[in-house]
Each structure stands twice: as structure tokens, then as C-alpha cells.
Amino acid sequence: MITEIEHHRGGARSAAFIGIVVLMCASAMTFSALVSAMVVRRGLNATDWHRISLPHILWWNTGILLLSSVAIDLARRLLRRGKRTEFNYAWTAGTVLGTLFLIGQVVAWNQVAGDGFRLQHSLSAAFFYVLTWAHAAHVVGALGAVGYVEYRAVRYQLGPANRTVVDVSAMFWHFLDVLWLGLMALFAFWS
Amino acid sequence: MSERLDAPANLSLFETASLSVERQYLTGLRIRSQSDPGVRATQAELYGGVAGTGQVVCDYVPELALRTSIFSTDHRIIARQYFYLSLIAVLFGVVLSILMRFHLVYPQAQVKWFAWLWPVKASGGVMTPELYLSLMTLHGTLMVFFVLTLAPLNAFGNLVMPEQLRAEGMAFPRLNMLSFWTTVVSFLLLIASFTCQDGGPLSGWTAYPPLSALGPIAGPGQGLGQTLWFFSIGVFCIAATLTSINFIATVIELREPDMGMMQMPLPCWNWFVTAILSLLSFPVLFAAGLLILLDRLAGTAFFLPGAGGSPLLWQHLFWFFGHPEVYIAILPGMGTVSHVISTYSGRPIFGYRAMVYATIAIAFLGMLVWGHHMFVSGLSPYSAIAFSVLTMAIGAPSAVKTFNWIATLWGRQLQLPTAMLFSLGFISIFVTGGLSGLFLGQPQIDAYFHDTYFVVAHFHLIMGVASLFGIFAGTFYWFPLMFGRNLNERLGKLHFYLTFVFAYTTFLPMHFAGFAGNPRRYADFTTFDFLVPVMPLQKWITHSAFTLAAVQLIFIWNLAWSILRNDHRD
């Protein structure tokens, strides 16, 4: 049986892609607002800006998040080729790595707080927490979508012609990667 | 990106299964779609699940009243729901403005039922300044968010846009329903914030810190009420973002296949650009709200100068949202007016392309001028000049629109039903309100006019009355689409003429109060010697405002009668 996947203007698949891109724009605007608030505040008076020491685990978390993205994209490609069992393995790996990232973030928050940088302690710490929390909230939401795909995948409800939810979730997951890399660059070089 | 796939080779689990239609849906070999006859044919079989698995694989749910009239995904019903919500909000808002205007000219009056309504805030029947400020805050918040944002974009956009694009509905119907009910939650939070024991929030709709960021220590009304207010706005931001996702996806995806962007009716263009503005601005307000809530609840100091924060940061973030919000309110009205004027002058709109580009230019420039709200906040004079020049530049596309409307009307035998009258009124009010913007856009002049009644006059005309005229034009023009009936034209015309006259007599004199240096946000002018000569003018404004409000009863009567009783369906 040969089926073509619908991808034309007006199709559900095409609409889903537009929807997720627009959602990513909204998230990007929220983060731009928070980041520009941080940059402007730092520019107003740099003398009382305490540089926080980034815990090493954040770099491990970055690696884990990137790996999860690789796994999820591998899974997406496998599904497109119709390899549904392999897709399940790769997607599950991505889900587990994504959850690990979240656990790693909790550890990182504890370490930053342990160094004396509590939320109320200084503005630099407060901006660090707000940005990482906002990112983590996005990851929790995205894990919901990824978990939903997982739920349907293990029941073999997804196939090469029914993979919009997979593509859309993967796209958002990669977006969170890029967002995180941006945040790490900000913390490492600018905070 | 379409690929041909030999799917069965990969279906190891279903090798032995016969690939019946429902199996094809299940395995993704067929895409499910409501318009696919295959789905309808097998809905009954599919509902309740695939044998043995207990899974529901299709969205079919028996139609319950709850689904069709309350939690409906039909864009027309959702449009009506938004319309009713705005109507409730506008009635609240008008009553509040009557109370405020009354207090301004009779600050010492003892009104028995004030004491009954607010035993603490108006003990003895005399309104306290805090009560006045909380009424002002509720008035501004209701009008800006729940009337000027919801009615033109969400109500009329939902109603008309799919029809004009010849689409079956919005791109994401369930998301649409979710946005509406999220908005309702936001509305309830807002109302709840005003019933708090220590009084409602009194920071105005702009909620400037540091007072709004400190918590209960800042005084009455700054406790739970202000916190709930921020939560309400945060929830509204989420709803507005969801709405904009839906609108943008609908315009891009669901246009009739042979309808290019430049063939779209002008209202659709305006809703589209408004949705983009919404998308770019509400998330920023959300971020600002997040930071200020942390200041209030978690002990941070983003906006508190004593602890290293900066209240100016709030002003930047707020007005980055706040200025585009003005265009979110007015752009849909411009679309409606273009459409109505074109209809009743019996010719296509003059300069369609110019109108589209002007809309885009207004929105683009509108994103870059937030600093003109902060000329007196200690902004660097260099950035003030940049903001000022960009602000003036908005006059150009606005003039393009105005001249194109006039050119469309030029030399035609006009029909003048109520919708057309409101559209012509819109042009008049838009020009009047816009001209005072040219004064306020200059830092030197704004230094004097800032925080005076001149500003109140300016934004009430351009943002309030002009947008409302757009809403009225839309209501009269699209009422048949919304309720299957017509509004009464005779009552409509009476309503228009009276509203037009009393809107001017209410808001024009405010300019003069502004010239005299009458500050806004004051609960009582009577204690200032320099304002004694302005009091007769303020009394005039109050009486005119009362009449303006009373005149709206004609509209309410017309609306109620037409929805409930009128069988006139011509």
C-alpha cells in the first residue's frame, strides 16, 4: 500500500507546522524580554553585579540535552523511513535524556544556591534562576508532548504517514536546545 | 515534502491484520480528517474504540448542549461568547467611569449606597481616594484588555475571518475554545482582585513599580488585590498568545486555495497584522509580569531601586507591550471601516495595496515607539529624539489610510446606514485623536502635557472612542452574521448621532483641562487653587459623560430587542 503524506496549504500537517513556529516565536519573545531585562539592568550599574559561578553540571546538562536532541532527530528520521521499532528505541532514549536534563537542572539549582547565590541574594542570581526556570518550564511542557508521542509510539499508532505530532514535537525540542545554548552563552560570557 | 512509502513492509505487528479502513487510520496509513468521508462512515464503529484495545481513535463525541453552546469549538459561537464577555466588561467599565466622574466633581458628596457597597472604602458614603484609584484601575484594565482587545480581534475576527477566507473554521478549533475559557479565568481573577478585603489594586492599568512591586507594605490595595491583578494579566497574556497562534495559522493556511495574500479582504489583513502584534507583545508583558510577581511573592528586587533593581525596567517592558496594544485595539477597527466604506460607496477600496502596506507600516513602527511614554522618566535625550521621530513617522501611514478612505468616498452617492455612519464617525474621531498624538510625540511638549488631562483626552479619543466606533460599525454590519437578524436602523442612527456629539463634548474639553495643567489620576481637584478655574469645565465633562453613558442604553435596548424579539431579517 502506498500512501502520500498530506503536506499542502490547508492540510492539518501544514497548519501544525505553522502553529508550532508561531508558538516558538512567542516563547522567543518571552525569553528576549527576560534577557534584555538582564542586559539592561547590568548595563545600568555594573558595580553591584555579582558574577555567579556556574556549576560544572550545567555543561554536562548541556551535553545531555544535545544528545537527547540527536536521539529525537534520529528517531524522527527512522519513523520517516518506516522503521517503527527502531523509532521507539531512539525516541525513548530522547525522552529519558530529556528527563535526565531536568534532574540535572535541579541539581544545578541546588549547587548555585549552595554557593550562596539564592534567589533573593542578588539580581544576577535572580536572573539566572528566572531564565533557567522559564527554560525548565518549557522543557516540562515539551516533555509532555514527547511523552504523548511515546505513549502512542509504544502502541504503534504512529507511522510514516502519521508523524506530524512527532515532527512538531522534535522541532520544538530542537528549539529548546538552541534556547539553552543561547542561555549558556549568556551565563558564561555575559553574566 | 511528500514521500511515497511502502508502508506494509514495516508493519510487522499488523502483518496478519487485514488493512481495513479503520486499521489504516490506526496505523497512520491514512490521515484522519473530519472532511474525509471515510471517517464519517466509520465513526460509529470507531467510537468506543478498536476491538480489544479500548482506544478511542477518533474525536467523535455525541453532541451535547455543553459542547455545542458552552464549550463549543465552532468559531461563530466562540465569537458570540467573546462578544458577550466584552459587553459585560464594557458595561462594568462604563458604570465605573460614571462613578469616577461623579467623584471628581462632587468629591465630598455623601451617597448612601456607596457606604453600602464599600463599608470601609466609602464609610459615611464619601469615596476615599484609594477607592477612586481602584475604580480607575478596574476601568482601565477592563476597557483595554477585555473590551478593546477582545471585541475587535477575538469577537469579530472569529466571526468573520473564516467566512472571508472561505475557510471552514479556524485552524485550531479546540485551541480557540481554550483561549476563550482562559480569558474567562483571567476576567474572573480580575474581578476577584477588586473584592479583596484591603481594597482593589490602585496602580492603574500600567501598574508602575516600585509601589506595585512592594506588596502590602506599600499601602491599602497593594496586597492580595494587586497580586491577583498581575495573575489575571498573566493569564490574559497566555490566552492572547493562543489566540494569535490560531489567527496567524488560519490566515496562512486556510485561505481558499486560489486566494493570494494580496487578494485577502482588508479586514483579514488587519486581523492578521493585529495577531502578529499580539504575538510579539503579549509574551513580553508576560515576562514582565513574571518578574514583578517574583518581586512581590519571592523576595527578588528586579524593580525595586533600594535593592539594586530598576523601576525603569518595568516601564520599558510594559510599554514594549503597551504601545503595540494601542494598535491591537485600533487596527481591526480600521479593517472593519475599510470594508464598510467600500460596501456603501459601491466601489472597491481606493489603493488596496497602499492600505495593506500602511497597516504593516503602522504595526512595524508601532513596535518601535514605546519610549514616547517615558519621555519624562529620565530617558536619554538622544533616545527620546529617536522615539519622537519614529512616533511622528506613524502619521504617514495613518494619513495614507485616511486619504484612501476619503478617496473611496469621493464623488459617490453614499448609502448611510448605521454601520456606514459609525465608519465615517471613526474617520473623524481617528483624525481628531491622532492630531493630539503629534503634540504628545514631541518630548518638549510632552514634558508639559505628560500626566495631564490632555493625555486622557488623546487616548480616549484615539484608542477608546475610535476603536469603539469600529466595534459599533462591525456590530451593525455583521449582526446578521452573528445572530441571523438585523439591528433596528432607526434606533441605530439615533444612537450614532447622540454618541458622536456627546463623545466630542466629553473628550474635547479634556484637552483644555490639560492646557491648564490639570493632572490626571487625582481623586480630588477641589483642594488646588490653580484648578479652581477648571472646575466648571470638569463639571461640563461629567454631565456630558453621564449623557454619553445614558445614550448607550439605546444601543443596549436595540441589541437586546434584536437578539430576543426582532424577526426582521431583510
Side-chain angles (χ1 to χ4, degrees), chain A residues 1-4 9-10 13-15 18 26 29-30 41 80 82 119-120 123 130 155-157 160-163, chain B residues 1 3-5 8 10 13 26 28-29 31 55 172 241 252-253 255-257 280 283 294 298-300 308 310:
Chain A
M1 174 135 190
I2 291 172
T3 318
E4 272 195 20
R9 186 161 80 70
R13 180 176 168 81
S14 181
I18 298 285
M29 282 311 291
T30 306
R41 166 57 195 86
R80 195 170 63 186
L119 182 65
Q120 298 89 342
L123 269 182
V130 167
R155 283 163 182 74
Y156 288 95
Q157 289 176 352
N162 187 4
R163 57 188 165 85
Chain B
M1 196 174 81
E3 297 144 65
R4 291 184 163 274
L5 296 156
N10 305 310
L13 265 187
L26 186 67
L29 284 171
I31 304 289
Q55 290 158 353
F172 308 111
T241 309
I252 296 180
E253 284 300 315
R255 271 173 294 124
E256 200 186 34
L280 297 177
L294 284 173
T300 56
S310 161

Side-chain angles (χ1 to χ4, degrees), chain B residues 55 57 73 208 240 298 414 470 559:
Chain B
Q55 290 158 353
V57 294
T73 52
Y208 274 12
L414 300 180
L559 202 64

Side-chain angles (χ1 to χ4, degrees), chain B residues 438-462:
Chain B
L438 293 176
F439 291 72
L440 292 170
Q442 301 173 57
Q444 312 84 334
I445 303 179
D446 182 68
Y448 179 79
F449 280 140
H450 191 87
D451 250 347
T452 67
Y453 265 75
F454 192 87
V455 180
V456 180
H458 165 69
F459 72 75
H460 273 93
L461 279 175
I462 191 107

